[in-house]
Amino acid sequence: MTDQKHIAVWDNCLRIIKDNIPPSSFKTWFVPIKAVKFLDSVLTIEVPSDFFREYLEEQFIELIGKTLRRVVGSSAKLEYNVRVVSNEEAVTMPQQGVQELTNKTVPFPAQAGTFANPFVIPGLQQRQIDPQLNPNFSFRNFVEGECNRLARAAGLNISSSPGNNSFNPLFLYGGSGLGKTHLAQAIGIEIKERFPDKIVLYVSANRFQTQFMDAANVKNKLTDFLHFYQMIDVLIIDDVHEFAGKPGTQNAFFHIFSHLHNIGKQLILTSDKAPSELQDLEQRLLSRFKWGLVAELVQPDFETRIAILKAKSYKDGIVLPEEVITYLANNITSNVREIEGTLISLLAQSTLTHREITLELAQSLTDRFVSRTKTEISVGKIQKIVCEYFKISTESFLSQSRKREFVQARQIAMYISRNMTNNSLASIGAQIGGRDHATVLHAYNTVKDLIDTNRSFRKYVSDIEGQLKSN
Ligand code: ADP
Ligand code: MG
């Protein structure tokens, strides 16, 4: 009996909650929750992370409380379980990050044991450090979308209490041009605005590596290097995958990371891959990367692409015709950098040739820019790759069978077709077993939701999209 009770209770709550908040919030913050137990009026729900729980408590606790009391009665209580990712994280933090610097690959100076606190080194304390931030990469210029919602929310949260939150480090990962650098810098900019005295530093992994190599063989220089990094309150290291195969740099970084983390300083890291997929990086680093929040940035969906195009053109003081915006959003799907690049060329073309920005101009440009990958991708090709990926026959794929695996394959094909081709919904439906446009739209929305909430699903879609692009 009690086995199913929690599900019924939570379902009733969800029904009420859904009516009271915007659909996007519902999707982001409630769909991922799982009810796990209901006993003595206590409902236990499972949430994906501490960050998630904090956010729920901050934003929705009143609504959840009221709803639960309505469903269960006045004695109702709520408990959280935070989903455990793996046991491998159970690595303990060194107590003395600084002293560990005597480790073999960083030839730390002999006086390491009596290492002076860099914060009281005369002269250093007052030193102004240029945070190396680009003011254009602010939150104001960062368009929010499904593709970046969690990462952005975490970033904003960090900005209000750097170091003192449960997502330290913040590990942002995702493909090229999806906004990792922008978001990481936005956090730095925001912190500098709110806490001007905090020492914020943005540095690319490559630059860090070069500095380390320069310092590594010169005794005093290495000390300076380590002192310097140990003074930072908010350290942003961009593209940490670049540390792969560089054990010396990794070791130095490990100690700086441990030291800063130990004393409650904020770390923000970006990478092109998730920690679990990074290769040639020390295990102790990888496990630390997962201590805080690991958030992925994914390809922007259609609505976000539209919003980005509007925001960018608005910033340049240009109002693009709707049809040009829609055309670009339909055709440039891979990443934000490409959207920006095309927009800049479009503006340049129009200015240089004194031509108005029309659909034709946009078409001629994108043909040149993105045609190599674009024009070759057809619904038929998508269908072929999807069938191969799921190992199902074209007949089953196109049939009327409602078997789950076929339905899922069709829905994914429809979703990808809408994202990667210029076909209308009706045309996509017609090509995938003669379905109507409403079916395609439904499939699109279903897949979009699943991508947000289901890891393996997200992987299917990105694998298939990856195959299509590399073909
Ligand atoms: P990455 O570091 O992931 O390769 P960047 O942060 O350099 O990507 O982003 C590429 C370009 O796209 C930058 O000019 C950035 O300003 C822009 N960009 C990325 N995401 C967004 C966004 N959500 N809103 C506005 N501009 C964005
Ligand atoms: Mg970058």
Side-chain angles (χ1 to χ4, degrees):
M1 271 296 287
T2 45
D3 269 349
Q4 292 308 315
K5 190 91 195 283
H6 55 279
I7 301 203
V9 168
W10 185 237
D11 276 351
N12 281 333
C13 291
L14 285 182
R15 222 163 285 141
I16 298 170
I17 290 169
K18 198 173 188 173
D19 281 342
N20 285 288
I21 59 171
S24 58
S25 306
F26 184 79
K27 200 165 73 186
T28 311
W29 300 108
F30 289 91
V31 173
I33 296 177
K34 223 172 95 189
V36 289
K37 199 169 80 184
F38 182 71
L39 195 67
D40 301 331
S41 301
V42 182
L43 177 70
T44 309
I45 57 174
E46 189 182 87
V47 295
S49 64
D50 273 330
F51 162 67
F52 200 99
R53 180 183 53 73
E54 280 177 19
Y55 191 91
L56 273 185
E57 294 221 305
E58 231 168 65
Q59 301 292 323
F60 301 113
I61 198 62
E62 215 176 307
L63 174 66
I64 300 176
K66 275 190 194 150
T67 309
L68 195 60
R69 282 191 293 275
R70 209 168 114 191
V71 172
V72 178
S74 58
S75 57
K77 284 215 180 66
L78 185 71
E79 271 183 15
Y80 300 94
N81 276 352
V82 175
R83 210 164 288 161
V84 180
V85 184
S86 83
N87 290 330
E88 164 207 32
E89 263 85 329
V91 187
T92 45
M93 195 67 182
Q95 287 307 301
Q96 275 292 339
V98 174
Q99 282 179 4
E100 276 218 353
L101 282 166
T102 44
N103 187 301
K104 57 179 182 334
T105 25
V106 177
F108 199 71
Q111 72 273 29
T114 55
F115 184 71
N117 180 344
F119 292 94
V120 295
I121 290 177
L124 269 184
Q125 201 180 14
Q126 300 304 326
R127 192 185 286 172
Q128 291 287 327
I129 293 174
D130 178 350
Q132 313 282 327
L133 295 163
N134 174 346
N136 287 325
F137 288 153
S138 62
F139 272 112
R140 212 173 322 114
N141 293 339
F142 190 75
V143 175
E144 180 179 7
E146 287 301 331
C147 52
N148 58 39
R149 204 177 301 288
L150 179 75
R152 181 180 171 278
L156 279 172
N157 201 303
I158 286 175
S159 308
S160 62
S161 53
N164 184 21
N165 55 63
S166 55
F167 8 103
N168 193 16
L170 173 64
F171 188 96
L172 300 171
Y173 77 95
S176 164
L178 296 178
K180 301 181 296 293
T181 299
H182 188 142
L183 183 55
Q185 292 224 8
I187 302 169
I189 293 171
E190 188 72 19
I191 293 175
K192 247 343 218 184
E193 272 173 24
R194 293 194 197 201
F195 308 94
D197 293 339
K198 287 224 184 275
I199 305 176
V200 176
L201 181 72
Y202 166 90
V203 62
S204 70
N206 272 331
R207 181 134 185 237
F208 179 94
Q209 138 102 4
T210 314
Q211 289 174 344
F212 169 72
M213 295 303 282
D214 280 351
N217 299 316
V218 188
K219 188 172 147 193
N220 288 337
K221 260 182 123 183
L222 182 63
T223 320
D224 284 350
F225 172 83
L226 296 165
H227 281 179
F228 175 80
Y229 275 96
Q230 288 170 355
M231 292 195 312
I232 311 292
D233 295 313
V234 179
L235 179 60
I236 306 167
I237 304 222
D238 205 0
D239 296 326
V240 292
H241 55 270
E242 300 278 356
F243 286 153
K246 295 162 185 158
T249 312
Q250 284 179 41
N251 188 45
F253 175 60
F254 171 77
H255 292 296
I256 289 166
F257 179 110
S258 301
H259 175 80
L260 292 178
H261 196 278
N262 256 353
I263 56 173
K265 305 300 185 180
Q266 181 72 46
L267 291 123
I268 299 159
L269 311 169
T270 79
S271 159
D272 66 351
K273 288 192 200 68
S276 52
E277 288 166 31
L278 282 172
Q279 277 165 8
D280 291 331
L281 260 105
E282 285 184 46
Q283 199 51 42
R284 56 182 184 165
L285 269 180
L286 295 179
S287 63
R288 275 161 182 74
F289 288 168
K290 294 186 270 182
W291 271 353
L293 180 74
V294 176
E296 185 180 9
L297 292 172
V298 297
Q299 288 184 342
D301 52 57
F302 183 74
E303 286 81 31
T304 313
R305 298 199 294 270
I306 296 263
I308 288 173
L309 281 158
K310 288 194 172 156
K312 302 254 178 226
S313 49
Y314 178 81
K315 194 159 167 274
D316 289 326
I318 285 148
V319 180
L320 292 178
E322 271 308 311
E323 54 177 7
V324 170
I325 294 199
T326 314
Y327 174 81
L328 294 176
N330 263 321
N331 284 276
I332 313 165
T333 53
S334 58
N335 66 55
V336 186
R337 187 175 290 127
E338 203 169 72
I339 295 179
E340 246 179 7
T342 316
L343 198 56
I344 291 168
S345 321
L346 191 58
L347 300 183
Q349 279 280 331
S350 134
T351 322
L352 293 175
T353 59
H354 305 289
R355 279 203 282 164
E356 274 197 50
I357 301 179
T358 57
L359 187 57
E360 288 71 47
L361 186 61
Q363 277 166 344
S364 69
L365 244 158
T366 45
D367 280 353
R368 244 181 294 156
F369 265 82
V370 277
S371 58
R372 271 164 288 119
T373 49
K374 281 302 303 179
T375 48
E376 291 155 18
I377 297 179
S378 61
V379 176
K381 171 127 183 211
I382 292 170
Q383 176 187 311
K384 181 168 165 276
I385 304 254
V386 168
C387 287
E388 281 168 11
Y389 185 83
F390 290 113
K391 302 194 174 52
I392 61 180
S393 70
T394 314
E395 294 81 67
S396 317
F397 180 86
L398 294 173
S399 74
Q400 298 300 319
S401 161
R402 303 289 307 155
K403 230 173 121 185
R404 199 163 155 266
E405 52 170 321
F406 302 155
V407 173
Q408 173 178 297
R410 277 177 218 131
Q411 290 187 327
I412 289 181
M414 289 175 184
Y415 172 88
I416 294 179
S417 299
R418 182 170 183 202
N419 266 349
M420 296 181 86
T421 75
N422 300 328
N423 288 269
S424 65
L425 294 174
S427 147
I428 294 170
Q431 295 175 68
I432 300 182
R435 268 89 183 169
D436 63 9
H437 88 280
T439 309
V440 180
L441 188 61
H442 174 72
Y444 178 82
N445 288 327
T446 307
V447 173
K448 213 167 126 209
D449 284 355
L450 282 167
I451 287 176
D452 289 343
T453 53
N454 182 323
R455 202 181 271 262
S456 42
F457 212 88
R458 187 155 67 228
K459 182 164 171 4
Y460 298 156
V461 175
S462 73
D463 281 354
I464 296 168
E465 285 181 344
Q467 283 190 23
L468 281 159
K469 276 181 211 143
S470 63
N471 258 296

